[in-house]
Amino acid sequence: MLFEQLIQKNDIDNYACKCPIIYWIRPYVFKVVMEYCKKNDAPVSDEDFLSVLKDEATPIPNTEMFEEARMCFNRLWKEDQLKARVHYLKTVSEMSSRDIMRLLHISSEANVNQLFSRACRLMRSYRDELRQMPAEQGKEVLYALS
């Protein structure tokens, strides 16, 4: 359905083949989902929503670890944006080294893997530094990095 809409509105002509189409089309998918949610006040029934909340198999997210990861990533971004991009594309977007190589115009897959390895090492060292700080000092660092 979305593909047909893109063809009808000639938006498909905007695709310049610089990245895999799945990454290019994500904003359009997001727009379709948001429009659907705006038209339907409750796109998910209350029963389904409550059953998800009661599901014991669903783990409770560890917000402290998430915040710690966010702080470390912010620091990595400030120090080396290329490593941060590679780390994000590998871990969050689950892209292959070959796709990252093409997207970021990196000379080889081995270089992508090396950048990722170094980014992971930096993230671990940032995490270790954070964990060694006293709680009050950690909060100050949190506000400084945010």
Side-chain angles (χ1 to χ4, degrees), residues 35-50:
E35 286 175 0
Y36 177 80
C37 290
K38 286 178 185 176
K39 288 179 185 175
N40 300 304
D41 289 337
V44 179
S45 71
D46 290 338
E47 293 171 3
D48 291 338
F49 183 71
L50 292 174

Side-chain angles (χ1 to χ4, degrees), residues 94-113:
E94 298 178 355
M95 288 178 69
S96 68
S97 296
R98 177 170 287 163
D99 290 339
I100 294 171
M101 177 188 77
R102 290 178 184 153
L103 182 66
L104 299 179
H105 305 290
I106 298 174
S107 59
S108 70
E109 288 181 54
N111 288 347
V112 171
N113 292 334

Side-chain angles (χ1 to χ4, degrees), residues 64 67-68 70-71 129-146:
E64 288 178 19
E67 191 62 28
E68 193 176 69
R70 187 183 70 78
M71 289 170 53
E129 286 176 25
L130 271 175
R131 288 182 177 175
Q132 290 175 359
M133 289 181 191
E136 288 304 314
Q137 187 180 0
K139 289 179 184 176
E140 292 172 13
V141 170
L142 169 65
Y143 295 124
L145 290 175
S146 297

